[in-house]
Amino acid sequence: MHILIIGAAGMVGRKLTAKLLTTGHLGGTPIQRMDLVDVIPPHEPQSEIDIHCEAADLSTPHTAPALIARRPDVIFHLAAIVSGEAEADFDKGYRINLDGTRALFEAIRHTQSYCPRVVFASSIAVVGAPLPYPIPDDFHCTPLTSYGTQKAICELLLADYTRRGILDGVGLRLPTICIRPGAPNKAASGFFSGILREPLVGKDAVLPVPDTIRHWHASPRSAVGFMLHAASMDTAAIGPRRNLSMPGVSATVAEQIEALRRIAGDTAVKLIRRVPDPAITAMCEGWAPGFEASRARALGFRAESDFTQIIKAHIEDELEGVQ
Amino acid sequence: MHILIIGAAGMVGRKLTAKLLTTGHLGGTPIQRMDLVDVIPPHEPQSEIDIHCEAADLSTPHTAPALIARRPDVIFHLAAIVSGEAEADFDKGYRINLDGTRALFEAIRHTQSYCPRVVFASSIAVVGAPLPYPIPDDFHCTPLTSYGTQKAICELLLADYTRRGILDGVGLRLPTICIRPGAPNKAASGFFSGILREPLVGKDAVLPVPDTIRHWHASPRSAVGFMLHAASMDTAAIGPRRNLSMPGVSATVAEQIEALRRIAGDTAVKLIRRVPDPAITAMCEGWAPGFEASRARALGFRAESDFTQIIKAHIEDELEGVQ
């Protein structure tokens, strides 16, 4: 099997690559080759599998046709300009997130006798406030960011190209990934991870929103699990509605903190400093509080069932099991 | 006021043009100029208003910038490759219906200190079976045609460009227009009009589906009314969800026929010949049976309330009131 990962240098891309290299197969089929592509050159891992790393921008001419000329069997399309940047730079967001994805799908369409599995990383940003809780699977997409708009458009393209038999697509609306490993970043949603990740290693963390804010989370481990399942499942069971809200854990900030207390005690919880930020709070109030995700669960997608499990996954995967 | 109609040669475009010329104003403001554009040259009506007719293809370079350079205050964007042709010609459908619309929005974005009202003709084809009845306003778009996909994508673009302050958009999901005037055509949905229009003038009509098929209709007169209301209403009341399922009449074929009987008697009804067509029946079963349209009604959009009214509108507007 030949696998292409576009966006391989990102956090999920690196974890997905590592998992595929560790297992050496996908859905029971041995992996012969992996092409790892990102705008910054992906780190070339040690492996017996034939690995090709490449820095490339999907939105420039010839990039997509060159990647597809090698006829990968499975394509993971994770590449995107993130929400804040797509909002700040209108042209760049549409060029990378929409035109780049369309170029990929068009390159596939122009390749004869070829219908690869395409796993597309969409986002809960495709919905926009006011939102019910939980959000049903048949709730409409009315995004309130250009990023969410671009993801929603790509979902529509994925479904149409699949219906036409051009590709075999599965779109995954990923929850907010928590706990994101690594250093704190400036993403507005960064505190959801920060208030757990930092105290777990004895560091301070800032909480800018009230404890009552409810949001929708899944671990990096679950995100990789979604990708692998989407890549190997029988897609005939999905039907034409190819974009699925992934399962996750709906929790208030208070519930996150109580899970931290259960695992790491009051000492850890005391490291959380409350520094209210009205702008971040206003943004959070418009974000998805949680999804039913009934279709995805019925199709075999699995996430954690509570925040204790999310924290334990982080300790096992990032802290070598030691907290 | 300066009005641009793109798709002015189509049935709704012609009726909209005629209505605007008759009233001479839009939302109380006198019309000074109208630009009528279509891929085939629109007929140039007699009027004291300054009218410019032009044959142009929105998807070719320079077309949209040239139309927008004249800075129309209100733009009606009705141009589209229809469902059957967009399904048969993948490239043409995406080029005209998606890229053409995007070119229009981009031309507006690149015009300084300009934010026109844009009324976009969307379609109930943005939803796809299985469908509830009635379809709520927050039901998701999972189109089952490339045409529906293209309309759903343009709806997302309209909302994002509006949110960004680039334009002031209102998207109208039009019901199937019934009774379409003119000669019978080969559209799969053509019989909905044919079984009324033809018997009303003493001609035979073919009914290819069972009497139990339920569908969603509005008269050409209502469609024009939706457009005028969307062009002149206070859009602040809409909020960021700029695409609205228009009101209409949900009726079974049996209910359509009973309305015909009330108005034109058994003699007219007997002109309907039942010639079952399994292919057309299968298509119809996937079409929208009807929408709640609560938001549009609350915002002042009005349609007929039953099929008798739809038939009477046709008699008044197309048969000079004589049946």
Side-chain angles (χ1 to χ4, degrees), chain A residues 17 42 50 78 83 121-122 139 148 169 180 190 226-227 258 260 265 286 304:
Chain A
T17 301
D50 184 20
L78 319 179
S83 186
S122 187
F139 195 72
R180 282 189 78 90
F226 300 154
M227 301 274 167
E258 283 317 298
L260 177 66
E304 291 78 15

Side-chain angles (χ1 to χ4, degrees), chain A residues 18-40:
Chain A
K19 182 74 178 179
L20 288 167
L21 293 178
T22 304
T23 53
H25 63 83
L26 177 62
T29 308
I31 301 167
Q32 267 100 33
R33 171 172 174 157
M34 285 178 63
D35 296 344
L36 306 178
V37 177
D38 209 308
V39 284
I40 56 168

